[in-house]
Amino acid sequence: MKKVIGIGNALVDLMTKIENDYILTELNLPKGSMQLVEKTVSRNIIEKTKNFQRTISSGGSAANTIHGLSRLGISSGFIGKIGNDEMGRYFKEDMEKCDIKTCLLKSTADSGVAVALVSPDGERTFAVHLGAAIDLTPEDLNLSFFADYDILHIEGYLLQNYSLIETACDMAKKQGLKISLDLASFNVVESHHEFLAKIIKNYADIIFANEEEAKAMTGHKPEDALNHIAEWCDIAIVKVGKKGSLVKTNGQIFKIDAISANVTDTTGAGDLYASGFIYGLLNNMPVHECGKTGALLAKHVIEQIGAKINDDKWEEIKRKIIQL
């Protein structure tokens, strides 16, 4: 049985569906942005939006991907850091109830919380208090964390901690793992371009990027960007929204169509695409079927609020994967 472990920011997601965008102006949050905020600001936003429709779940990009893999039956683990508080306990319990093996270090800081305000048009505005999540250090890692796994999946949001990323990659490679990296966001790519290029060329086997991230990385439009990224790794994936995705491996390009969806909230689309694609790889599916599986999971997650697919959808998804 193939196994995957992820490493990323351990966050509790509070997905809040707002009735209009006036609250964004009141909270001084530019629509569509991702703002890092202090603890007091985070608490104020949570208080001001408490009467709106809200869901809560364990989150963070890598955690979302690992959750999707686990629901598809892949043995999965997750490395992160939480506080000794209610949110931290919720994160741990929410992951473990899905049979995810957690390596969660403890911090004296509050656990990280991501408040996502979802506008009526589906646009997301994030206010993220990273808290304990960013206290994860290279010294927290142990070679044993990576034993018996086949792939390490890393979220690009960790790129602000260079030594942590390099240590995780070194340990994973010593244990014989392949490394999958999601570039996270275009501003992360722009801010850490030189280091990111080094990590991709030295360690990465699989790269996930959307159109904006790929352009920030290479300076090129999707297909040319795909060709550049594919020179640095075994499998390059560039997601192009409603147009689907492009995959290049072994010199061959695959174009995968998106699956039509009734979009409610695009949170988690990229994370769940990665779940589906990696699931396909681990099950030796042809590349285009890996992409189709990614597209299928992305379709389902954007039809609901939040970055997790509802429990009652997974059996249907598994049946559809067999039919691909």
Side-chain angles (χ1 to χ4, degrees):
M1 176 70 75
K2 296 291 182 70
K3 299 169 68 176
V4 182
I5 189 165
I7 184 169
N9 289 322
L11 303 173
V12 173
D13 282 347
L14 296 178
M15 304 299 303
T16 305
K17 193 168 186 178
I18 58 177
E19 295 173 354
N20 55 61
D21 293 335
Y22 294 123
I23 189 70
L24 299 178
T25 303
E26 183 181 338
L27 294 170
N28 197 29
L29 295 172
K31 184 177 180 179
S33 67
M34 195 285 283
Q35 305 283 318
L36 294 178
V37 299
E38 297 298 326
K39 178 170 63 177
T40 53
V41 175
S42 177
R43 288 179 174 176
N44 179 57
I45 292 169
I46 293 169
E47 176 63 25
K48 293 267 189 179
T49 58
K50 66 182 181 181
N51 293 324
F52 292 114
Q53 179 185 339
R54 176 181 288 166
T55 61
I56 180 171
S57 67
S58 56
S61 176
N64 293 336
T65 297
I66 291 301
H67 179 271
L69 281 161
S70 182
R71 294 310 306 265
L72 288 172
I74 298 295
S75 295
S76 305
F78 179 79
I79 302 166
K81 202 160 195 174
I82 56 175
N84 187 23
D85 54 20
E86 183 181 350
M87 288 295 189
R89 287 187 288 275
Y90 176 86
F91 183 93
K92 186 175 191 294
E93 290 169 5
D94 197 47
M95 295 290 278
E96 291 179 349
K97 77 179 184 183
C98 294
D99 298 321
I100 297 165
K101 182 179 179 181
T102 57
C103 300
L104 293 171
L105 292 305
K106 292 287 183 69
S107 169
T108 56
D110 288 357
S111 296
V113 176
V115 181
L117 303 177
V118 185
S119 296
D121 62 2
E123 182 70 74
R124 302 157 299 159
T125 303
F126 286 94
V128 181
H129 174 59
L130 291 170
I134 56 169
D135 289 345
L136 188 65
T137 67
E139 293 72 31
D140 288 324
L141 302 181
N142 189 297
L143 200 60
S144 65
F145 290 176
F146 304 93
D148 300 323
Y149 287 97
D150 298 280
I151 292 177
L152 169 64
H153 182 71
I154 304 171
E155 66 175 71
Y157 292 112
L158 287 185
L159 281 168
Q160 75 277 359
N161 192 331
Y162 292 3
S163 58
L164 174 65
I165 291 283
E166 287 193 289
T167 301
C169 288
D170 278 335
M171 288 184 174
K173 286 299 183 182
K174 284 176 182 175
Q175 294 283 31
L177 280 70
K178 289 186 178 297
I179 290 177
S180 164
L181 175 63
D182 192 312
L183 298 192
S185 75
F186 72 90
N187 54 314
V188 168
V189 176
E190 289 174 345
S191 299
H192 306 282
H193 190 279
E194 185 176 345
F195 176 72
L196 180 56
K198 173 186 170 184
I199 290 296
I200 293 173
K201 292 172 185 177
N202 292 345
Y203 297 106
D205 300 284
I206 307 161
I207 296 294
F208 293 93
N210 65 24
E211 187 172 352
E212 293 78 16
E213 294 153 8
K215 186 173 183 180
M217 190 69 229
T218 67
H220 296 285
K221 292 182 179 179
E223 192 153 340
D224 287 338
L226 180 78
N227 288 326
H228 277 76
I229 296 170
E231 292 175 1
W232 305 330
C233 61
D234 293 337
I235 304 173
I237 301 108
V238 176
K239 297 159 291 180
V240 286
K242 293 178 181 178
K243 297 178 183 177
S245 58
L246 304 169
V247 182
K248 186 171 184 179
T249 184
N250 295 322
Q252 188 173 359
I253 293 176
F254 300 84
K255 296 182 178 181
I256 292 102
D257 291 334
I259 299 174
S260 179
N262 296 315
V263 180
T264 298
D265 168 25
T266 55
T267 307
D271 302 335
L272 271 295
Y273 179 98
S275 300
F277 194 96
I278 293 170
Y279 172 84
L281 285 180
L282 293 177
N283 283 282
N284 299 313
M285 292 164 64
V287 173
H288 71 279
E289 289 186 14
C290 295
K292 285 183 178 179
T293 306
L296 178 64
L297 266 63
K299 170 250 193 309
H300 277 279
V301 79
I302 65 176
E303 289 189 328
Q304 60 184 59
I305 292 288
K308 301 279 175 63
I309 295 172
N310 292 337
D311 291 346
D312 61 358
K313 293 291 185 182
W314 284 104
E315 290 306 316
E316 175 190 346
I317 289 168
K318 290 174 187 176
R319 288 195 298 271
K320 288 181 176 178
I321 291 172
I322 293 171
Q323 297 166 5
L324 289 175

